[in-house]
């Protein structure tokens, strides 16, 4: 999910400039299901012809040794919307929110849950009050299973908006984390501007890490973006890094780093397989 290909372009440019041997050995694969975005990415990456290949899904990717990197991919995965109800006996049960038509209008319809995987995963939730609305991202669990199957040796680095499970399903978060945005405006419902709005939900990091461990991946670190980038800077010599950059790049970096901007809300989880005694990753040295 490389969107317009800027991250890929930055990685390849800096590898070519600073680590030519690494660049010579590097093969870059982009997993992108949408042809329109593949076209956009190949325009951005025109200077790297022959270096990059596209695959439309993880399934279509050959087993690899290397790093799987994703940024804001899992928050775009489809989620199940669920709502808690009090049963006659006083216990809490869950219903799923389905979409129906009321005359010509889309509306939600609450129905019992017969999806086995969803019911099983609900057992992991902490107790929630009645009428508590939230989401469950089962697609992200299938995704990490598929990635781990393809990774022969190396790392999976996931950057996304999320919380550990207890924080995700904390009693006060009673309206869930689903967000609908169009033209940088928050919309009230996913039934507004259908096809144009960006619909996201936060990631339950605990569930991802648990499923990853069950698939043979080892957690190598988790922290927020501020600490991750600061750790890497300190390894590279942060002062010189700030001195060399123009003011636009400096402003961009501040947005990524500042705790009130993206520094805290974005987090990083690193997983590994068969990396033996590889040194710890610099991004996790501060947290
Ligand atoms: C919000 S963008 C991510 C931002 C982008 N990684 C960046 O850093 O600019 C989501 C990307 O994931 C892609 N995507 C959506 N579903 C996907 C899937 N199942 N597998 C891989 N990529 C997917 C989208 O087409 C898009 O390129």
């Amino acid at each position: 999910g490389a969107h317009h290909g800027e991250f890929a372009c930055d990685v390849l440019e800096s590898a070519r400039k600073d680590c030519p041997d690494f660049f010579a050995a590097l093969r870059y694969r982009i997993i992108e299901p949408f042809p329109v975005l593949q076209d956009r990415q190949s325009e951005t990456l025109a200077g790297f012809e022959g270096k990059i290949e596209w695959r439309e899904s993880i399934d279509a990717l050959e087993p690899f040794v290397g790093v799987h990197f994703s940024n804001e991919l899992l928050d775009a995965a489809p989620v199940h919307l669920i709502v808690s109800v009090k049963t006659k006996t006083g216990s809490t049960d869950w219903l799923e929110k389905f979409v129906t038509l009321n005359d010509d209008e889309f509306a939600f319809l609450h129905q019992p849950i017969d999806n086995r995987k969803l019911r099983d995963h609900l057992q992991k939730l902490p107790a929630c009050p009645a009428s508590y609305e939230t989401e469950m991202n089962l697609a992200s669990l299938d995704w990490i299973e598929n990635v781990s199957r393809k990774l022969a040796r190396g790392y999976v680095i996931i950057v996304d908006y999320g919380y550990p499970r207890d924080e995700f399903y904390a009693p006060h978060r009673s309206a869930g984390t689903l967000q609908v945005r169009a033209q940088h405006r928050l919309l009230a419902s996913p039934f507004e501007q259908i096809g144009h709005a960006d619909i996201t939900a936060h990631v339950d990091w605990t569930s991802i890490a648990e499923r990853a461990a069950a698939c043979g991946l080892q957690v190598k670190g988790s922290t927020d973006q501020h600490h991750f980038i600061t750790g890497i800077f300190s390894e590279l010599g942060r002062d010189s890094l700030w001195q060399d950059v123009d003011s636009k790049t400096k402003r961009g970096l501040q947005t990524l780093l500042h705790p009130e901007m993206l520094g805290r809300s974005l987090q990083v989880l690193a997983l590994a397989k068969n990396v033996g005694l590889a040194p710890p990753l610099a991004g996790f040295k501060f947290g």
Side-chain angles (χ1 to χ4, degrees):
H3 199 49
H4 292 171
E6 289 94 343
F7 176 85
C9 191
D10 288 348
V11 169
L12 289 164
E13 253 168 24
S14 79
R16 181 159 61 188
K17 183 165 150 275
D18 298 327
C19 316
D21 291 347
F22 170 61
F23 181 76
L26 177 66
R27 297 191 308 156
Y28 205 102
R29 301 278 180 273
I30 295 179
I31 315 287
E32 178 55 66
F34 298 108
V36 62
L37 285 175
Q38 280 196 15
D39 290 345
R40 186 68 193 262
Q41 290 154 16
S42 60
E43 277 170 33
T44 309
L45 296 161
F48 296 101
E49 218 175 309
K51 210 51 180 155
I52 307 168
E53 284 177 23
W54 279 262
R55 301 285 182 269
E56 63 173 21
S57 66
I58 290 282
D59 282 342
L61 181 72
E62 45 285 85
F64 67 98
V65 172
V67 179
H68 183 290
F69 176 82
S70 69
N71 179 49
E72 293 187 48
L73 171 67
L74 298 187
D75 74 337
V79 292
H80 293 271
L81 301 179
I82 52 175
V83 53
S84 67
V85 282
K86 272 263 174 294
T87 63
K88 282 185 193 132
T89 61
S91 63
T92 305
D93 199 5
W94 292 93
L95 298 176
E96 182 166 4
K97 290 169 71 173
F98 289 94
V99 178
T100 186
L101 266 182
N102 270 351
D103 298 326
D104 269 352
E105 304 276 317
F106 286 118
F108 282 120
L109 177 70
H110 297 185
Q111 294 278 286
I113 298 175
D114 56 14
N115 176 331
R116 221 355 246 296
K117 278 189 181 174
L118 187 55
R119 285 214 79 87
D120 286 352
H121 202 70
L122 283 169
Q123 308 296 325
K124 297 181 185 259
L125 258 58
C128 294
S131 303
Y132 184 94
E133 302 211 7
T134 188
E135 310 85 35
M136 203 152 260
N137 188 342
L138 296 184
S140 66
L141 306 181
D142 290 342
W143 173 85
I144 193 64
E145 218 171 293
N146 287 340
V147 174
S148 89
R149 211 171 287 139
K150 296 293 176 162
L151 180 68
R153 179 162 54 86
Y155 294 88
V156 181
I157 298 181
I158 311 170
V159 183
D160 229 308
Y161 300 95
Y163 303 111
R165 185 183 294 139
D166 283 352
E167 236 178 277
F168 191 112
Y169 297 106
H172 69 86
R173 212 178 303 287
S174 56
T177 70
L178 194 80
Q179 287 191 356
V180 187
R181 281 180 194 273
Q183 289 97 39
H184 304 289
R185 259 188 343 109
L186 212 50
L187 307 181
S189 146
F191 304 141
E192 288 182 36
Q193 301 200 37
I194 293 170
H196 298 286
D198 186 22
I199 303 178
T200 61
H202 277 42
V203 174
D204 163 8
W205 288 120
T206 312
S207 291
I208 303 279
E210 281 175 359
R211 181 61 65 91
C215 300
L217 293 169
Q218 209 188 341
V219 174
K220 283 289 177 188
S222 69
T223 188
D224 62 35
Q225 180 164 271
H226 171 87
H227 287 89
F228 186 72
I229 296 179
T230 309
I232 293 171
F233 276 16
S234 85
E235 200 89 342
L236 295 175
R238 175 182 173 148
D239 286 350
S240 64
L241 213 77
W242 281 98
Q243 272 156 23
D244 290 347
V245 296
D246 58 52
S247 58
K248 184 168 168 254
T249 309
K250 219 175 249 179
R251 275 198 304 278
L253 267 174
Q254 275 159 352
T255 306
L256 293 177
L257 277 168
H258 199 288
E260 297 297 313
M261 297 167 106
L262 296 175
R264 215 184 336 240
S265 55
L266 275 167
Q267 289 102 43
V268 185
L269 174 68
L271 305 159
K273 191 193 251 182
N274 296 334
V275 296
L277 296 175
L281 301 174
F284 301 103
K285 66 194 271 190
F286 294 137

